[in-house]
Amino acid sequence: MKKTAFLVLMAAVLFFGTSADALEIKIAILAPEGTTWHKVMAAWNEELSQKTSGRVSIKIYAGGVLGDEKDVIRKMNIGQVHAAGFTGLGLGIINPEVRVLELPTLVSNYAEADALAKALQPRLKLGFDKKGFVLLGWAETGFVYIFSNSPIASPSDMDGKKMWAWEGDPLVEAMYREFKIVPIPLPLTDVRTSLQTHLIDAVYTPPLGAIALQWFTQTKYITDLKLSDSTGGILITKKAMQMISPKDQEILKETAEKYSKQLVERTRSENEKSYQTLLESGLTQVKVQDDERERITSTCRKVWDSLVGKLYSRELLNEAISAVESHRSSSK
């Protein structure tokens, strides 16, 4: 028994790089220091450290210093990183079904997004457990818009555009294929430089992301069309969780849920403010006419169908559509 306890103690020391009485969770986020994500994570760390009397704390690696989300997942799998705040891309690499929450033009406002999340998130959460991860909390980065250096008000306006695509994103690949866009795949960390050097001239991101990553400084237009509500979440490996006492695991989960909800609330509020800030900074808003919106939505439905059997089942897609349509019907 003593030998077993000693081995657990040594494993904790080696895994977390500190004493077993003070476990430091290494968590990676793409958001730079000073952004909403970073501030909320820092506040979470303060409460977590206080409630565990210093037994568990968080060390934040912000701004993508540990690599793109694919890199972070690889590092989590080998124990170099314990947890991370992911966008839908990162979540989808581990659990592809999650991308059903981000289907283009599926939801048009936060009430619809909440209805979709309520219907599907409990089921989707289980998918991470099967892959060796624990979902500590859901988050989101907000509605995605197109930022460009020439006006984009219709699919035809994208002809010849050098459109960025997040490298390795099957959802964006499917969307570009349906819209006949030739993508320029790049990791997130290379986007700003690529805008500066004119390797690309159009990107997609929520307004808050455009400011945090400074992409807006290299673009002139924002297309007033909500393409998708991009999801997110905080994951920790099961291996890391097992090194934490049951009591402190509960504190970790409770505080993570609290601050995940704060992330959603603050992200939504700050995205609204950021949109206006971008217009005030000199970006020109490009209006999309109703007939073009209908055409875009119709093409996006083909994207949904094209990913059945690749990212999610037909059953899950139907559940997603039904959840949104039911909400719309009840809201009339």
Side-chain angles (χ1 to χ4, degrees):
M1 187 71 178
K2 290 182 178 179
K3 183 178 179 181
T4 301
F6 176 75
L7 291 174
V8 172
L9 171 65
M10 290 305 297
V13 171
L14 291 171
F15 190 70
F16 288 91
T18 183
S19 71
D21 291 331
L23 304 178
E24 187 177 72
I25 300 171
K26 298 175 182 177
I27 185 165
I29 59 174
L30 287 175
E33 291 187 13
T35 58
T36 299
W37 265 79
H38 183 257
K39 290 177 181 177
V40 172
M41 290 283 184
W44 174 28
N45 177 48
E46 286 185 16
E47 184 167 338
L48 176 62
S49 298
Q50 181 183 24
K51 287 191 171 181
T52 60
S53 300
R55 293 185 301 274
V56 182
S57 63
I58 298 168
K59 184 171 183 179
I60 307 167
Y61 294 84
V65 295
L66 296 182
D68 214 338
E69 294 194 332
K70 289 185 294 182
D71 301 317
V72 170
I73 292 170
R74 178 180 57 80
K75 290 175 181 178
M76 290 175 76
N77 284 328
I78 62 177
Q80 290 181 348
V81 184
H82 312 127
F86 287 112
T87 65
L89 175 60
L91 295 180
I93 291 172
I94 297 168
N95 180 13
E97 287 187 331
V98 167
R99 304 307 298 278
V100 76
L101 299 175
E102 298 187 302
L103 294 179
T105 69
L106 176 59
V107 300
S108 58
N109 55 58
Y110 287 128
E112 292 175 1
D114 287 341
L116 178 63
K118 183 178 180 180
L120 298 187
Q121 281 181 351
R123 167 179 170 175
L124 295 172
K125 183 177 181 179
L126 298 176
F128 295 106
D129 184 73
K130 297 174 182 177
K131 299 295 181 67
F133 295 85
V134 177
L135 180 75
L136 292 175
W138 291 98
E140 62 184 39
T141 56
F143 278 104
V144 171
Y145 296 83
I146 294 175
F147 292 77
S148 58
N149 282 315
S150 57
I152 295 177
S154 68
S156 61
D157 289 335
M158 290 185 275
D159 291 345
K161 294 290 187 300
K162 294 179 285 187
M163 294 284 296
W164 168 64
W166 199 344
E167 192 174 59
D169 189 336
L171 177 53
V172 171
E173 288 174 5
M175 186 172 177
Y176 280 17
R177 190 162 49 246
E178 289 295 337
F179 282 96
K180 296 179 173 56
I181 298 169
V182 178
I184 297 181
L186 295 167
L188 193 76
T189 48
D190 291 351
V191 173
R192 188 182 179 193
T193 301
S194 298
L195 282 168
Q196 291 172 330
T197 59
H198 306 293
L199 176 63
I200 54 176
D201 51 30
V203 297
Y204 54 90
T205 184
L208 190 56
I211 293 175
L213 298 168
Q214 291 293 290
W215 294 357
F216 82 98
T217 62
Q218 305 299 320
T219 55
K220 299 176 182 178
Y221 299 91
I222 177 172
T223 301
D224 191 30
L225 174 69
K226 295 175 179 176
L227 283 176
S228 168
D229 182 34
S230 54
T231 192
I234 302 170
L235 296 179
I236 187 170
T237 63
K238 281 188 176 181
K239 184 177 180 181
M241 283 292 281
Q242 290 167 358
M243 296 298 177
I244 303 171
S245 70
K247 177 183 176 182
D248 288 342
Q249 283 187 32
E250 289 306 309
I251 295 173
L252 177 65
K253 290 177 181 178
E254 289 171 6
T255 54
E257 184 176 0
K258 172 184 175 179
Y259 286 95
S260 293
K261 289 179 180 178
Q262 282 192 21
L263 267 176
V264 172
E265 292 169 1
R266 290 187 58 177
T267 297
R268 290 181 176 184
S269 173
E270 293 184 22
N271 263 316
E272 296 291 336
K273 295 175 183 176
S274 294
Y275 191 97
Q276 293 305 314
T277 298
L278 289 166
L279 296 180
E280 291 167 7
S281 73
L283 264 68
T284 300
Q285 185 184 64
V286 180
K287 292 289 187 179
V288 178
Q289 299 302 315
D290 289 343
D291 59 336
E292 290 295 347
R293 286 179 185 271
E294 291 177 8
R295 190 173 292 114
I296 290 169
T297 299
S298 177
T299 302
C300 285
R301 285 184 170 272
K302 296 178 182 178
V303 176
W304 307 353
D305 290 335
S306 73
L307 293 169
V308 170
K310 297 176 182 177
L311 297 183
Y312 44 75
S313 65
R314 172 65 65 181
E315 176 190 9
L316 186 61
L317 174 59
N318 288 342
E319 286 181 30
I321 295 171
S322 176
V324 176
E325 290 180 346
S326 295
H327 173 79
R328 287 173 181 165
S329 297
S330 64
S331 300
K332 290 180 179 178

